[in-house]
Amino acid sequence: MQLIRLFIRRLLFPIIIFGYLTVGMTIAAQPYALVIHGGSGNIDPQSVSEERKEAYLGKMAEALKVGEEMLKNGAASLDVVETVVKIMEDSPLFNAGKGAVFNIDGKNELDASIMCGATHNAGSVAGLSTIKNPVSAARKVMEESPHVMLTGKSADAFAYEHGLEMVDPGYFFDQIRWDQYREYVRNTFNRDRGQSIPADDDLKMGTVGAVALDLEGNIAAATSTGGMTGKYPGRVGDSPLIGAGNYASNLSCGVSATGHGEFFIRNMVAYDIAARVLYKGQTLEEAANEVINGKLKEQNANGGIIAIDKDGNVVMVFNTTAMFRGYINSSGEKGAWIFREE
Ligand code: ASP
């Protein structure tokens, strides 16, 4: 009896306490974080009304709050980025889902992608016209097909067959976007279609994206867009292209981009940043700065990225005057911003 008591006091008890503390500290040490964007561009702060600024900041705060609750409660980063991007797709404020910009034929063609940093699985869709939430269609492609990317009518059909909500193409209509399209047609469209000129920044603002790191240490990234006002029908931008507008790897970081898609494709922006972190040992901040404020700026390419590395560092880097952006993390930091000087 004496021996058993001694064993419990001297050995078993300390082992249990030690184990409890070690596991507890390991759990506490795993940070979570979520960063979102709602597009970038060179916009004059005076051109956005206070009311509209409030609306943007409010919608981003709502998305961040939903994502924060999910992460706190142990949700997977994939579920978080999909949910958060859906909130922004459903808002007409952003150029994704409802409120997407119009192509030169006056139609909406939606692109989206999602990637899981734990498995490196990815899914994407381009040129959707009837699926309410393109990001969910991208996830269906990732999880329920052997493919990475589906396009056009087949992508719509696949998403519908896999249970996603279908809408009339008119659902995506937004009067402000339509007025921007009309202005584009009046001012900048060169009659030769092959020479269609990309719209000004403020006519295409609002691609959305999210990157999350969860309590399991898994990173995921998602991006969704209507592309660029006046784009040629069938044009695919960077947002649905894995490595260009979206990328996630637990080995390095997750990245979601916004900006002039053609440049982001040529420079493989999202993957370039991740590769610099992984192979060059650069910090996420250094890597993002060299690509966005170095390489892209030299090419006169506008845009920005949001990203999170495996340690929970959040970066929001852009070479424009504005990027709708915000983040939360497990240290309690949070905020949402529009312009650079804030
Ligand atoms: N990157 C998007 C595209 O080129 C547009 C944007 O982010 O504003 O389709």
Side-chain angles (χ1 to χ4, degrees), residues 204 207 225 227-228 235 237-239 258-261:
K204 63 141 183 72
T207 290
T225 190
M228 296 171 93
R235 176 261 189 187
D238 60 316
S239 309
T258 170
H260 196 149

Side-chain angles (χ1 to χ4, degrees), residues 37-41 95 111 201 204-208 223-228 231 235-240 245 257-265 302-304:
H37 72 77
S40 67
N95 171 19
D111 302 340
D201 271 333
K204 63 141 183 72
M205 286 284 302
T207 290
V208 305
T223 308
S224 180
T225 190
M228 296 171 93
K231 66 184 180 182
R235 176 261 189 187
V236 176
D238 60 316
S239 309
T258 170
H260 196 149
E262 280 67 13
F263 289 91
F264 281 66
I265 296 171
N302 287 341

Side-chain angles (χ1 to χ4, degrees), residues 41-54 56 202 321-322 324 338-342:
N42 285 317
I43 43 173
D44 174 5
Q46 309 305 326
S47 69
V48 189
S49 69
E50 281 308 314
E51 200 187 347
R52 208 158 160 84
K53 273 184 215 163
E54 288 307 313
Y56 279 118
D202 59 345
T321 59
F324 295 86
I338 300 176
F339 297 101
R340 179 172 292 287
E341 61 279 7
E342 291 170 290

Side-chain angles (χ1 to χ4, degrees), residues 195-308:
Q195 307 259 309
S196 68
I197 302 158
D200 290 344
D201 271 333
D202 59 345
L203 297 186
K204 63 141 183 72
M205 286 284 302
T207 290
V208 305
V211 182
L213 169 71
D214 65 26
L215 285 173
E216 300 284 324
N218 291 324
I219 300 174
T223 308
S224 180
T225 190
M228 296 171 93
T229 299
K231 66 184 180 182
Y232 197 90
R235 176 261 189 187
V236 176
D238 60 316
S239 309
L241 297 184
I242 300 303
N246 201 50
Y247 187 73
S249 170
N250 282 5
L251 302 175
S252 52
C253 59
V255 181
S256 170
T258 170
H260 196 149
E262 280 67 13
F263 289 91
F264 281 66
I265 296 171
R266 291 184 199 116
N267 289 281
M268 286 301 275
V269 166
Y271 184 70
D272 189 6
I273 292 171
R276 283 163 186 267
V277 170
L278 182 63
Y279 301 124
K280 221 177 169 190
Q282 288 188 318
T283 65
L284 189 54
E285 183 87 41
E286 282 166 357
N289 261 315
E290 277 194 17
V291 175
I292 302 296
N293 288 316
K295 249 170 121 177
L296 286 184
K297 216 168 178 178
E298 280 159 24
Q299 298 168 31
N300 288 323
N302 287 341
I305 61 97
I306 52 166
I308 301 178

